[in-house]
Amino acid sequence: MIIIAASYNSKEKRSYLLIQARLAWGFSIKRPFISKGQPSYTTFPPTTLMGAISYPLAKIKGLGELIIKRGKIYSVAEEFKDIFKAASAIITQEKRDTPSGIYWEDINRYQILQFQKDFRRRDPMFRFGTVPSGKVIGPGSIVRIIYLIDEEKAKNVLGSSWDQILIEAGYSITRIGSKESIVSVEKVDLEEPVMMVNELCTRYPHPKDIIQTGFTPKECPDKEYKGWYEEAFWDNTYEWREILTYRTFIVPGTRNPVFNGWIRIRLKDSVKGYLIEEDGIAEFL
C-alpha cells in the first residue's frame, strides 16, 4: 500500500532535478580496490552521479577539482554534497525488449615496467602486461538521473539563484564515469515531488540499510518485474586518502545484459520517500 501525504514540513523543503541524457557509446566506472584487473559497474554509483554534476557546478562557481577544508584535501564534490538528499539513475532503451547495455572487457596491452623493481625493468619479459578493462556497451541508451534537493542547503551553497544554477549544471553534464563516458543531455526538469510513506515502487537503486529489516523487495502491481541484485558502492565521502567504506544497494533489474525493471520496497519509519513522476525515491544521502 502507498500512502501519499498532502503537505511538506516547511523547514525541510524538497525539490528534484530530473536529467535525461543519452550515452554516446556506453560507459565505464571502475570498481574500487582493483589494480591490474579493471572490471566496471553496470549501473551508476551515487558518488559517480555526484561527481558528474559537481564538475559543472565547480566551473560555475569558479572552483577547481580539489578544495581544502578543515586543513584536509577533498574532491570539489565535498562542497556540494549537502545539497543532495539522494542521487540515483537508471538506464533505459526506447525498445522494450532491447537491453540497455551489454558488459564487455577489452584486453589492453599496457606498459608496466615503471611498476617493476629496478633489476626487472631491463628484462623485456616484464616490460608489458595485459589488462582487462571493463565497460558497458550501450550506444544511444537513455540515462535518467534523479537528484533530490534540499532547498535550504542549495540556497546556502549556491545562493538565491540556486534553481537556475542547478538547471544550468544539469545541462552542462558531459560525462558519467570515466572521461570517455560521454553523454549528451536532452532534458532537465526541476520540480517538487509528492511526499510518500511506507512503500515505494521504483526502478532506481536504493541502499539496503534504509529498507525495513526483514523485508524482501517484491513485484509492483501492473509493472514489469525483472528481479533485482545487490551491489556494493563507496559510501558518500570525498576526503583524499580517507579509508572508504562500502554501502550495499538494491538494484532493480539485471546486471548483464542490463535490463531495467520495477520493485516494491518498504522503508524504515525514519526514512522519507517521495513520488517523482512514476517512481518512488527515498532520501539516503
Side-chain angles (χ1 to χ4, degrees), residues 52-69:
I53 198 165
S54 292
Y55 179 71
L57 283 173
K59 294 185 71 175
I60 293 169
K61 300 295 288 184
L63 300 174
E65 293 185 3
L66 300 174
I67 59 172
I68 296 177
K69 294 177 71 173

Side-chain angles (χ1 to χ4, degrees), residues 33-88:
F33 289 128
I34 298 298
S35 55
K36 190 172 183 180
Q38 297 181 8
S40 171
Y41 286 118
T42 59
T43 189
F44 299 104
T47 48
T48 297
L49 301 173
M50 294 285 285
I53 198 165
S54 292
Y55 179 71
L57 283 173
K59 294 185 71 175
I60 293 169
K61 300 295 288 184
L63 300 174
E65 293 185 3
L66 300 174
I67 59 172
I68 296 177
K69 294 177 71 173
R70 302 178 290 275
K72 297 179 180 179
I73 300 174
Y74 293 85
S75 161
V76 74
E78 178 74 15
E79 186 74 8
F80 307 110
K81 75 173 188 178
D82 290 342
I83 295 173
F84 304 102
K85 304 303 291 184
S88 196

Side-chain angles (χ1 to χ4, degrees), residues 68-175:
I68 296 177
K69 294 177 71 173
R70 302 178 290 275
K72 297 179 180 179
I73 300 174
Y74 293 85
S75 161
V76 74
E78 178 74 15
E79 186 74 8
F80 307 110
K81 75 173 188 178
D82 290 342
I83 295 173
F84 304 102
K85 304 303 291 184
S88 196
I90 58 172
I91 316 164
T92 66
Q93 261 286 353
E94 292 167 343
K95 294 181 179 179
R96 181 177 176 182
D97 297 326
T98 302
S100 303
I102 301 292
Y103 183 73
W104 181 260
E105 289 187 354
D106 290 330
I107 305 299
N108 298 318
R109 187 173 185 250
Y110 284 16
Q111 179 177 286
I112 60 171
L113 64 87
Q114 67 269 31
F115 302 114
Q116 304 295 329
K117 295 181 178 179
D118 288 343
F119 72 90
R120 296 174 68 171
R121 292 182 182 180
R122 300 175 182 85
D123 190 334
M125 181 182 296
F126 302 104
R127 188 168 297 168
F128 296 98
T130 55
V131 177
S133 180
K135 60 193 66 177
V136 174
I137 307 297
S141 289
I142 298 167
V143 181
R144 289 172 59 86
I145 311 170
I146 291 178
Y147 296 98
L148 193 59
I149 310 297
D150 183 322
E151 292 189 9
E152 192 62 34
K153 296 287 178 64
K155 290 176 186 176
N156 292 339
V157 175
L158 301 176
S160 58
S161 299
W162 63 271
D163 49 351
Q164 295 303 313
I165 291 173
L166 285 173
I167 291 171
E168 180 182 346
Y171 275 113
S172 301
I173 291 175
T174 56
R175 56 189 172 88

Side-chain angles (χ1 to χ4, degrees), residues 92 99 120 190 208 242 244:
T92 66
R120 296 174 68 171
L190 183 65
K208 188 176 181 180
E242 177 75 3
L244 303 180

Side-chain angles (χ1 to χ4, degrees), residues 1-2 96 196 199-204 206 215-228 252 261-266 275 278-280:
M1 180 179 181
I2 298 175
R96 181 177 176 182
M196 306 173 66
E199 293 186 2
L200 305 178
C201 276
T202 186
R203 294 171 291 173
Y204 287 78
H206 281 79
F215 185 84
T216 302
K218 296 176 171 40
E219 297 183 35
C220 286
D222 304 319
K223 300 289 187 181
E224 187 174 24
Y225 178 73
K226 294 282 188 180
W228 55 274
W262 295 80
I263 60 170
R264 178 165 54 91
I265 58 175
R266 182 176 298 160
L275 180 62
E278 296 181 277
D279 293 272

